[in-house]
Amino acid sequence: MTLSSPAKTTQAEVVYVVDDDEAVRDSLTWLLESNGYVVRCHASAERFLQSLQSTDKSTISCAILDVRMPGMSGLELQERLLSENFPMPVAFITGHGDVSMAVSTMKRGAVDFIEKPFKENDLCGLVDRMLAKARVDYSQASNRKITQSLLSKLTGRERQVLERIVAGRLNKQIADDLGISIKTVEAHRANIMEKLNVNTVADLLRLALSDPQPN
């Protein structure tokens, strides 16, 4: 049965299914593909991790993981994805779940935890939420990379000046802090604005404050 409102996804968005049960993989593949998703299945966590080594981390994707599998469990796989910095929302499907396990996965960032049998609408809604989160995460990561690339152009002295601008210090105060002239501070400010490609102090502050790592 195909749902009445197919999901709007692109070829660049992938739903991974990791489950050792072939029948479950086939069922999920049929359900998700019939609703417009691109699906990639793996029979074990180890095979899934191996496939990711040749996968572009910028691919918008999410993963549906079985909790109990031979070898690496779904919970252990979640930890590996986190430790190896794969920005991929995950959810768990299991027939053996309990409340404590659900809480554990959610604390580690899982989007949801549902038990078999599950409703088709619930599963597709869950995948939609995960892919939406993946799009936001990818956009934020891209913006951080751009910001860090721009900030890397600054000299050490320009970084010192920028830190004080962000702290709300005036030119005279910055000059006193650094033992330089006000004209030199003004020159540094002009260079900073040019290198960061901003036209106003407000834009400068937004860019500087968006960088998660202090400079």
Side-chain angles (χ1 to χ4, degrees), residues 88-117:
M88 182 185 305
V90 302
F92 291 90
I93 295 180
T94 181
H96 310 283
D98 57 26
V99 173
S100 63
M101 190 179 295
V103 171
S104 175
T105 62
M106 298 293 281
K107 282 183 176 180
R108 289 173 173 80
V111 175
D112 209 338
F113 184 105
I114 58 178
E115 293 187 75
K116 306 169 189 173

Side-chain angles (χ1 to χ4, degrees), residues 111-130:
V111 175
D112 209 338
F113 184 105
I114 58 178
E115 293 187 75
K116 306 169 189 173
F118 48 82
K119 295 181 180 179
E120 295 179 4
N121 285 331
D122 291 343
L123 178 63
C124 290
L126 170 58
V127 170
D128 280 341
R129 294 200 307 276
M130 288 197 290

Side-chain angles (χ1 to χ4, degrees), residues 2-28:
T2 302
L3 300 182
S4 58
S5 300
K8 295 180 180 179
T9 63
T10 68
Q11 289 296 319
E13 299 182 350
V14 179
V15 181
Y16 293 104
V17 174
V18 185
D19 197 306
D20 63 304
D21 188 327
E22 183 177 4
V24 171
R25 296 197 305 274
D26 289 346
S27 174
L28 288 174

